[in-house]
Amino acid sequence: MPPQRLRAIQKALMTWYRIHQRDLPWRRTRSAYRIWVSEVMLQQTQVETVIPYYRRFIRRFPSLSALASSDLEAVLKVWEGLGYYSRARHLLEASQIIARDYRGRIPRDLQVFLRLPGVGDYIGAAVLSIAFQKPYAAVDGNVKRVLSRLQAIDLPMNASASSRVFKHAAQALLDRDAPGISNQAFMEFGALQCIPRNPLCNCCPLRRLCKAYQSNTVKRLPNRGSRRTVPTRHVAVGVVYNRDRVLITRRAPRGLLGGLWEFPGGAIGADESARAACLREIREETGLSVTVGDHLATVRHAYTHFKVVIDVFRCAYQGGTVHLSGPVDFRWVSIAELDQFAFPSANKKFMHLLIRR
DNA sequence: AAAGCGGGGCT
DNA sequence: AGCCCAGCTTT
């Protein structure tokens, strides 16, 4: 790239950022730990969603040592509803590794930092540039979109084969005098100005530098690649009452909704009724015999790779002792105690029906 | 290289 | 209904 063009882009972005940057909680700290927490939460998650979670998390775990001495149960409760729960588990594990092996200091060496669970190219570059002024370009979805337009890069954003090109382009544009601000400027510009649909080209200070704008190809960039349609799964779930307590089970720590608590249930088979599936799944998962009573709710929920329709039934404990198959733990709890446990959002959609009955 | 992994907001 | 979001890990 011509050095003149390079400097013009850097200067325009930095000027734009000074004027338009948002006042965000994690921009008011120099703590590498807090910046790291924010970056983990911001993965695939919009700023407005993250803000209240970030505040609660920092209030509950103000320092890395506070987090490291906590446990998964407590961390998931704060993370409840934010999604991608492996982020929380990895953050906890990484904090414990740092406390044990690095005397509580976040590694400033990229290769060392990248070995921690949950730390990939983006988190590594973002945290080390913002907290320690290290010269690494952070490449997220915003940056790839901005680069696609600015440099007219017609490569599918979601393909791993394209990452090398985007990373190289981003590194070339990084302002090495202020890499942390430079990275944030690129991302903020993508979030506020060079937005996915209908970018604000009319008032864009970079439009004379933008190859897509100059060639009238903004509408075709970025190249989003392809994706497939998601299937729908039908699930039956039971709220099993034994006197005034209900049964909850805990999911295995890895995989979908790892470590969260839920009401037992499972997929409805072909040629199977929802009630029959409810009875069968509870017996298979917990070994308990129940009777299936009232239909409490039908809940719809969308995940990344599938949609689910959940039929929820009130059930009554009949007999047997719990022998878990699938879940890794269980509790009999009162309705009032439910809010002490972290549940998936799909469960929260019907839990309010259980209050005071 | 592709799939798995949440949830919310916007069009 | 589809698309997108301050991505990482596993296979």
Side-chain angles (χ1 to χ4, degrees):
Chain A
M1 190 186 329
Q4 191 175 358
R5 170 173 169 79
L6 170 63
R7 281 193 299 274
I9 292 172
Q10 287 175 342
K11 186 168 190 300
L13 269 174
M14 292 300 231
T15 300
W16 177 92
Y17 183 65
R18 273 195 296 275
I19 298 168
H20 296 283
Q21 65 169 301
R22 289 169 287 186
D23 179 17
L24 302 173
W26 45 89
R27 291 193 176 143
R28 289 171 166 261
T29 182
R30 294 175 56 176
S31 157
Y33 162 72
R34 296 185 180 196
I35 291 166
W36 181 17
V37 170
S38 75
E39 293 298 345
V40 173
M41 288 186 169
L42 285 162
Q43 287 175 48
Q44 302 295 96
T45 310
Q46 298 192 356
V47 165
E48 293 305 317
T49 304
V50 166
I51 290 173
Y53 281 92
Y54 173 83
R55 292 189 190 283
R56 282 196 295 272
F57 194 96
I58 294 302
R59 190 158 58 237
R60 179 73 177 75
F61 309 108
S63 64
L64 187 140
S65 64
L67 177 60
S69 60
S70 180
D71 57 38
L72 183 59
E73 190 87 41
V75 176
L76 284 177
K77 184 58 193 174
V78 181
W79 209 271
E80 179 185 38
L82 193 56
Y84 283 144
Y85 298 94
S86 66
R87 294 183 295 177
R89 180 168 49 83
H90 288 146
L91 187 58
L92 172 62
E93 292 169 0
S95 75
Q96 293 169 338
I97 292 171
I98 291 172
R100 190 188 66 216
D101 297 346
Y102 303 101
R103 303 192 315 187
R105 305 292 179 187
I106 292 175
R108 297 177 181 233
D109 183 293
L110 182 61
Q111 299 312 317
V112 177
F113 192 41
L114 284 172
R115 287 203 291 269
L116 295 167
V119 180
D121 286 347
Y122 170 77
I123 297 279
V127 173
L128 295 194
S129 67
I130 296 170
F132 302 134
Q133 294 77 48
K134 299 280 190 177
Y136 304 116
V139 183
D140 72 337
N142 284 313
V143 172
K144 283 191 272 195
R145 182 175 60 257
V146 172
L147 289 173
S148 294
R149 290 171 176 156
L150 192 59
Q151 305 286 55
I153 299 173
D154 188 3
L155 294 175
M157 280 207 319
N158 61 357
S160 51
S162 311
S163 65
R164 215 190 88 261
V165 174
F166 285 115
K167 196 169 174 179
H168 191 267
Q171 194 64 39
L173 284 169
L174 182 72
D175 186 339
R176 297 176 65 95
D177 290 332
I181 295 173
S182 177
N183 278 329
Q184 292 183 83
F186 261 91
M187 294 188 279
E188 192 81 333
F189 184 77
L192 299 181
Q193 182 80 30
C194 196
I195 54 182
R197 281 173 291 253
N198 306 317
L200 311 178
C201 299
N202 290 336
C203 62
C204 180
L206 274 72
R207 66 183 181 186
R208 276 190 296 278
L209 295 163
C210 178
K211 294 187 175 178
Y213 185 83
Q214 294 299 330
S215 62
N216 204 22
T217 54
V218 174
K219 279 188 167 49
R220 293 200 293 275
L221 293 172
N223 180 337
R224 294 181 173 85
S226 60
R227 58 182 72 203
R228 58 181 61 179
T229 60
V230 298
T232 297
R233 299 180 191 174
H234 294 267
V235 168
V237 160
V239 182
V240 180
Y241 280 80
N242 187 0
R243 303 177 66 89
D244 62 340
R245 292 179 184 274
V246 297
L247 179 66
I248 60 175
T249 54
R250 192 176 193 195
R251 298 176 66 93
R254 294 172 186 275
L256 182 68
L257 305 170
L260 297 194
W261 292 84
E262 65 182 1
F263 295 97
I268 303 171
D271 306 321
E272 186 181 36
S273 71
R275 286 175 184 280
C278 184
L279 182 72
R280 175 183 56 74
E281 286 286 346
I282 290 171
R283 191 171 54 232
E284 288 177 3
E285 285 190 343
T286 71
L288 297 184
S289 297
V290 304
T291 54
V292 181
D294 297 345
H295 180 260
L296 287 176
T298 298
V299 168
R300 293 165 202 282
H301 194 75
Y303 294 91
T304 306
H305 292 284
F306 62 95
K307 299 174 186 177
V308 65
V309 180
I310 307 173
D311 277 309
V312 187
F313 296 94
R314 173 183 301 276
C315 298
Y317 170 75
Q318 291 301 116
T321 57
V322 175
H323 295 285
L324 296 176
S325 174
V328 297
D329 201 359
F330 74 99
R331 294 275 197 286
W332 289 100
V333 298
S334 68
I335 301 301
E337 290 170 321
L338 286 173
D339 67 4
Q340 298 171 27
F341 300 84
F343 284 85
S345 288
N347 274 231
K348 309 265 317 184
K349 284 181 177 178
F350 61 81
M351 278 173 57
H352 66 279
L353 298 170
L354 307 179
I355 305 302
R356 302 186 184 285
R357 279 206 47 165

